[in-house]
């Protein structure tokens, strides 16, 4: 590999076909690694140039090196015009490229779409609000919609692009005349339901109530990528060459093969990742899909991402089995505030809790609830733990503090 690359600027690297091909396809990987090892200064330049190339490529790797080079030529032309018009504005080098890139991409419909996709993440075809009725649904990539009639539906995909639903319905996606490999399948689980999935690589997924996930019929490219809103437990099939990535609206969790639980409901303040086996990397998403830092989890640890303060914290979690007890129909909680417990029950049973404005839900409680019981039985058990009383009216449950009777002394 030529050492003349050491003298290349960021824009020269992005305009070099060998560099772009390496970033997109991994060509001549060892040669590039040798070059990077020889020069720390060159590593910095490569890192910045690589980020811009990856930004230009969408998440399905549909842009090739010719597309990247063509777009970059337009960006360079636009940059020259900006430089001639305003030489007084001085910005840091990389920030200037980013600003130029944003404006340049906005002048084309392709650019607008890439910006939109990177800022917003995956766009589900339907909203949870409109689909959280009583029926779970599977939206297939070929346009077919399937109603999932069971309380705990089971969906399995295989390498032959066959979809098996609850062991009694089969759909052959390989027969599509014009398949679009970029399109995802989506499963939407309303409150009060659950679902189990087996993806085509053998990865097992348990979806909790009030969740939805997008996943491909077949994993292509250099990674296995899915998109989640809600809560799911993953047992990822190991593949050292194809990392498995779970994207939520705020974070990304990257693994090779492991077991972990991820809770990322929009209504919750925290996105929580609990690791049972293996190793995962949790990253915060920023503009344009870049990752802001990496937090590595070891088994028996939990990473909590605070959406308001944009911060990831890690703590030891010795009782990790509590995080996945819901997959077996149990809800275990240890020193958890009452509000979090009620939120989970609300989603699981598709009910609404109502209490006075002065009612405190900050009390920390510990206990175990059998979610196979009716909501009335669960509330009776919770009442003893949390010292509350309740009354049920339709799908609403009114809660108030239990009034302890004072025995009269005779």
């Amino acid at each position: 590999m030529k050492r003349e690359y050491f003298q290349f600027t960021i824009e020269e690297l992005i305009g070099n076909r060998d560099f772009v091909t390496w970033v997109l396809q991994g060509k001549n990987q060892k040669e590039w690694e040798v070059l990077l090892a020889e020069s720390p200064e060159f590593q910095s330049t490569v890192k910045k140039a690589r980020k811009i190339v990856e930004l230009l490529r969408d998440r399905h790797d549909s842009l090739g090196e010719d597309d990247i080079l063509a777009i970059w030529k337009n960006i360079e032309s636009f940059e020259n015009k900006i430089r001639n018009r305003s030489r007084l504005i001085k910005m840091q080098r990389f920030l200037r490229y980013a600003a130029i890139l944003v404006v340049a991409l906005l002048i084309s419909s392709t650019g607008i779409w890439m910006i939109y996709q990177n800022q917003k993440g995956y766009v589900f075809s339907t909203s949870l609000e409109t689909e959280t009725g009583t029926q779970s649904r599977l939206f297939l990539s070929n346009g077919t919609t399937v109603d999932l009639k069971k309380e705990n539906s089971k969906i399995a995909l295989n390498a032959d692009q066959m979809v098996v639903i609850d062991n009694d319905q089969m759909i052959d996606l390989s027969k599509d005349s014009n398949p679009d490999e970029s399109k995802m399948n989506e499963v939407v689980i309303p409150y009060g339901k659950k679902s189990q999935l087996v993806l085509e690589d053998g990865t097992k997924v348990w979806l909790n109530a009030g969740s939805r996930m997008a996943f491909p019929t077949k994993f292509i490219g250099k990674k296995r990528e899915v998109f989640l809103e809600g809560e799911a437990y993953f047992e990822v099939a190991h593949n050292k060459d194809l990392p498995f990535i779970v994207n939520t609206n705020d974070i990304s969790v990257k693994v090779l093969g492991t077991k972990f639980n991820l809770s990322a409901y929009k209504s919750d303040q925290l996105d929580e990742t609990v690791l049972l086996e293996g190793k995962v990397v949790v990253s915060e998403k920023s503009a344009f899909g870049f990752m802001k830092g990496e937090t590595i989890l070891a088994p028996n640890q939990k990473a909590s991402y605070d959406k308001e303060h944009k911060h990831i914290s890690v703590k030891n979690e010795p009782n990790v089995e509590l995080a996945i007890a819901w997959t077996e129909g149990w809800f275990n909680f240890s020193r958890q505030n009452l509000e979090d417990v009620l939120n989970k029950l609300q989603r699981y049973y598709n009910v609404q809790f109502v209490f006075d404005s002065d009612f405190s839900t900050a009390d920390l409680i510990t206990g175990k609830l059998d979610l196979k019981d009716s909501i009335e039985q669960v509330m009776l058990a919770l009442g003893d733990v949390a010292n509350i009383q309740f009354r049920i009216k339709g799908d609403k449950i009114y809660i108030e503090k239990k009034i302890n009777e004072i025995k009269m002394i005779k």
Side-chain angles (χ1 to χ4, degrees), residues 251-386:
I251 64 172
S252 175
V253 180
K254 179 181 178 181
V255 303
L256 295 178
T258 188
K259 298 179 180 180
F260 67 100
N261 193 83
L262 175 57
S263 181
Y265 288 100
K266 278 189 174 182
S267 58
D268 289 352
Q269 178 61 38
L270 301 176
D271 284 357
E272 296 183 330
T273 306
V274 178
L275 181 61
L276 285 79
E277 293 182 12
K279 182 176 73 173
V280 302
V281 178
V282 182
S283 305
E284 178 193 353
K285 286 185 176 180
S286 61
F288 313 118
F290 291 159
M291 297 297 120
K292 294 174 63 176
E294 293 184 344
T295 300
I296 300 176
L297 285 190
N300 299 318
Q301 286 187 326
K302 177 170 71 174
S304 299
Y305 173 72
D306 190 313
K307 300 177 185 177
E308 180 180 356
H309 299 99
K310 310 293 184 184
H311 174 70
I312 297 177
S313 60
V314 177
K315 72 173 185 177
N316 293 329
E317 191 71 25
N319 299 317
V320 290
E321 68 278 358
L322 299 183
I324 64 169
W326 62 267
T327 63
E328 300 294 335
W330 291 93
F331 180 19
N332 291 16
F333 46 95
S334 177
R335 293 189 57 77
Q336 195 165 352
N337 69 54
L338 179 59
E339 182 178 9
D340 290 342
V341 173
L342 293 177
N343 282 339
K344 290 180 182 294
L345 293 177
Q346 190 166 254
R347 287 190 287 255
Y348 199 92
Y349 285 98
N350 194 21
V351 295
Q352 179 182 355
F353 290 106
V354 181
F355 33 80
D356 295 334
S357 57
D358 59 348
F359 181 89
S360 174
T361 57
D363 295 344
L364 300 180
I365 56 176
T366 297
K368 179 177 180 180
L369 300 173
D370 188 347
L371 299 179
K372 296 182 287 294
D373 289 340
S374 67
I375 183 61
E376 184 173 6
Q377 291 174 300
V378 167
M379 290 305 300
L380 285 170
L382 183 62
D384 293 335
V385 173

Side-chain angles (χ1 to χ4, degrees), residues 13 65 71 110 260:
L13 277 176
E65 54 266 28
I71 292 175
T110 302
F260 67 100

Side-chain angles (χ1 to χ4, degrees), residues 2-213:
K2 301 176 182 178
R3 285 179 170 76
E4 64 187 46
Y5 285 123
F6 290 155
Q7 309 303 319
F8 274 34
T9 62
I10 294 174
E11 56 265 61
E12 287 172 337
L13 277 176
I14 298 172
N16 181 272
R17 182 179 296 276
D18 290 338
F19 175 78
V20 174
T21 303
W22 168 58
V23 173
L24 296 182
Q25 301 178 11
K27 187 176 180 180
N28 298 323
Q29 176 70 25
K30 291 185 178 180
E31 288 85 348
W32 280 99
E33 288 178 353
V34 170
L35 278 179
L36 292 172
E38 290 183 12
S39 173
E41 293 80 7
F42 184 57
Q43 290 180 24
S44 177
T45 303
V46 167
K47 183 178 180 181
K48 294 174 182 178
R50 183 167 190 151
K51 280 188 176 181
I52 295 177
V53 172
E54 290 173 343
L55 171 59
L56 289 170
R57 178 190 61 188
D58 71 12
R59 62 172 41 88
H60 298 294
D61 299 331
S62 60
L63 291 180
E65 54 266 28
D66 290 334
D67 302 309
I68 298 293
L69 293 170
I71 292 175
W72 183 247
K73 286 182 180 178
N74 290 332
I75 293 173
E76 285 188 308
S77 175
F78 185 84
E79 179 186 5
N80 290 333
K81 292 179 181 179
I82 294 296
R83 185 187 297 113
N84 291 334
R85 289 183 181 182
S86 178
R87 294 181 177 275
L88 298 178
I89 301 177
K90 294 183 179 180
M91 302 173 63
Q92 291 183 358
R93 194 174 185 82
F94 183 64
L95 292 179
R96 175 166 55 85
Y97 293 135
I100 292 171
L101 186 57
V102 171
V103 178
L105 290 178
L106 283 174
I107 64 177
S108 69
S109 58
T110 302
I112 293 173
W113 174 246
M114 285 194 294
I115 294 287
Y116 178 75
Q117 285 287 78
N118 283 323
Q119 285 182 329
K120 303 298 270 187
Y122 180 81
V123 180
F124 285 89
S125 61
T126 182
S127 67
L128 264 175
E129 289 73 18
T130 59
E131 287 297 331
T132 49
T134 59
Q135 197 80 36
S136 298
R137 288 186 175 181
L138 175 63
F139 299 88
L140 294 172
S141 57
N142 65 359
T144 302
T145 300
V146 182
D147 289 337
L148 305 174
K149 300 177 182 179
K150 293 188 177 181
E151 293 287 324
N152 187 0
S153 57
K154 297 182 180 180
I155 305 165
L157 290 82
N158 59 35
D160 296 325
Q161 300 187 49
M162 295 292 296
V163 182
V164 182
I165 302 171
D166 292 326
N167 294 321
D168 59 14
Q169 185 177 0
M170 298 181 67
I171 300 174
D172 189 354
L173 294 179
S174 67
K175 293 183 178 181
D176 292 348
S177 56
N178 295 303
D180 184 350
E181 292 183 333
S182 68
K183 286 189 176 180
M184 293 274 190
N185 306 292
E186 299 176 14
V187 61
V188 180
I189 310 300
Y191 298 147
K193 306 284 185 178
K194 291 192 299 182
S195 183
Q196 298 179 39
L197 287 83
V198 179
L199 304 180
E200 64 93 10
D201 67 333
T203 292
K204 298 177 182 179
V205 185
W206 286 257
L207 277 172
N208 207 348
S211 303
R212 58 181 177 175
M213 193 176 86

